[in-house]
Amino acid sequence: MFTPLLVLFGIFTALLSTASPVEKRASRTSPPSGAVVVKNPAASGQFSTIQAAINSLPNDSSARTIFIFPGTYSEQVSITRTGPTTILGSTTDTTSYTSNSVTITHSLSAAAAGNDDSSGTLRVHKDNFSMYNVNVRNTFGVGSQALALSSYGNNIGYYGCGFYGYQDTVLANEGNQYFGVDYIEGAVDFIFGQHARVFFQRNVIASVAAGAITADGPTSASDTSLFVINRSTVQTSTAAKTDLTGKVFLGRPWTQWARVAFTNTNLGALINGAGWEIWSTATPNTAAVTFAEFGNTGTGASGTRASFSKKLSSTSGFNAADVLGSNWTSWVDQAYV
């Protein structure tokens, strides 16, 4: 007579054991079983730097997790291992970036590093990577490109993270990538890339100075690069030193095949009425761009838009499955959709 109850209990226990740490609890302040641990100062069996923890992982197909205790870690981090890798930052609220207690920070310009990618505070060159509740900063500031994040790979997800820089904050350059409930801050071309298909969902995108938010640069008409910012908020950063009303653009075309769409997003008064701008007077790069909008709200959603942009009648072609592929729900954490 107790068999149905026992079966139900078994199913419930199995579900709990397979749920991710994010799904199981709103707070994550201790490492899950089997995780490599970063803490400064480190105790026995722990690592004091994130790079040391990454270097300790085998370069094989095994799935590995790194848990980081609260702190500011001043280092440049590179991740290239083959197997699925997850980084978890300690937080009292996994559902947002607002309670993040882990920060990776570094100051390096692309001019000094030799190229954009090499300047990244966090450099991810791998498939099957996820990061939760970690802030990443490049503190170089004005004067050169200086990346917080350089991201190359398929099935990459950033959840509840914060990315802070000035010029070229986030480089999403190859593969299918997802940014869910993140904060991205910068001034000039601070979301950019050339070959990636990227979906930004429920992000806060904040400008610290006048400039364009996105700069997509596919290298040919056949390049399928596409950035879609959906159900997000575009606003002036609290770090801005001047009034930005009308001084920020949704994007400019790094090449003439740039493809960017803002959909169902609240655009603050910082967005210029034209919405989009040319790359430069000498090189407008507008011949074959796709700069599109649908369902946006807020003061910045109104105005006479640039002639090379368009308003969509629906989000067809710009939904998550269109951007990331029909299997996107198999690798994107649905808690951040």
Side-chain angles (χ1 to χ4, degrees):
M1 64 181 292
F2 296 105
T3 301
L5 289 176
L6 290 172
V7 171
L8 287 172
F9 178 77
I11 293 172
F12 179 70
T13 303
L15 286 172
L16 282 180
S17 66
T18 57
S20 76
V22 171
E23 293 168 332
K24 285 169 64 177
R25 48 186 174 168
S27 177
R28 188 202 312 111
T29 56
S30 59
S33 177
V36 172
V37 176
V38 179
K39 188 176 183 180
N40 193 5
S44 176
Q46 299 175 343
F47 295 91
S48 61
T49 70
I50 299 164
Q51 190 63 60
I54 291 165
N55 292 346
S56 76
L57 302 178
N59 189 24
D60 58 20
S61 61
S62 63
R64 300 293 172 135
T65 298
I66 293 174
F67 176 85
I68 309 173
F69 274 102
T72 298
Y73 297 83
S74 299
E75 56 179 309
Q76 190 175 29
V77 176
S78 175
I79 307 173
T80 60
R81 73 177 298 266
T82 303
T85 305
T86 300
I87 292 180
L88 305 173
S90 178
T91 180
T92 55
D93 181 6
T94 61
T95 67
S96 171
Y97 59 84
T98 56
S99 297
N100 290 359
S101 61
V102 174
T103 296
I104 308 171
T105 185
H106 192 65
S107 177
L108 180 63
S109 70
N115 56 64
D116 277 347
D117 169 49
S118 296
S119 74
T121 298
L122 173 62
R123 300 173 64 220
V124 178
H125 286 243
K126 67 178 282 36
D127 298 336
N128 304 310
F129 175 77
S130 299
M131 185 168 77
Y132 294 83
N133 302 106
V134 175
N135 293 335
V136 183
R137 295 178 178 270
N138 191 319
T139 60
F140 180 81
V142 183
S144 173
Q145 297 95 328
L147 280 59
L149 172 68
S150 178
S151 187
Y152 291 65
N154 268 313
N155 300 355
I156 292 180
Y158 300 97
Y159 308 105
C161 295
F163 301 100
Y164 300 79
Y166 189 89
Q167 183 173 355
D168 293 8
T169 304
V170 168
L171 169 61
N173 207 49
E174 292 178 2
N176 293 339
Q177 304 187 26
Y178 185 88
F179 289 72
V181 200
D182 294 317
Y183 178 89
I184 304 174
E185 181 179 285
V188 180
D189 306 336
F190 61 99
I191 298 173
F192 78 112
Q194 290 191 288
H195 312 295
R197 295 178 68 83
V198 192
F199 201 79
F200 299 84
Q201 177 89 331
R202 294 197 287 142
N203 284 220
V204 172
I205 297 170
S207 292
V208 295
I213 295 170
T214 65
D216 186 34
T219 53
S220 70
S222 61
D223 193 316
T224 61
S225 177
L226 173 62
F227 290 169
V228 174
I229 293 91
N230 184 57
R231 291 176 57 202
S232 296
T233 299
V234 176
Q235 65 186 37
T236 299
S237 166
T238 57
K241 297 179 180 179
T242 60
D243 180 15
L244 297 184
T245 300
K247 296 180 180 179
V248 174
F249 294 85
L250 300 175
R252 62 176 184 152
W254 188 5
T255 67
Q256 62 178 319
W257 303 285
R259 300 183 190 93
V260 180
F262 281 74
T263 59
N264 303 307
T265 290
N266 184 273
L267 306 178
L270 71 166
I271 298 301
N272 185 278
W276 311 82
E277 67 173 339
I278 61 175
W279 182 255
S280 68
T281 303
T283 312
N285 285 349
T286 59
V289 300
T290 299
F291 282 165
E293 295 179 67
F294 175 83
N296 295 329
T297 58
T299 303
S302 61
T304 302
R305 288 317 205 220
S307 61
F308 49 86
S309 68
K310 63 181 179 180
K311 291 292 182 68
L312 302 170
S313 59
S314 75
T315 57
S316 177
F318 298 94
N319 295 310
D322 301 317
V323 178
L324 303 176
S326 59
N327 71 331
W328 74 282
T329 57
S330 69
W331 60 270
V332 170
D333 190 328
Q334 297 299 293
Y336 295 83
V337 170

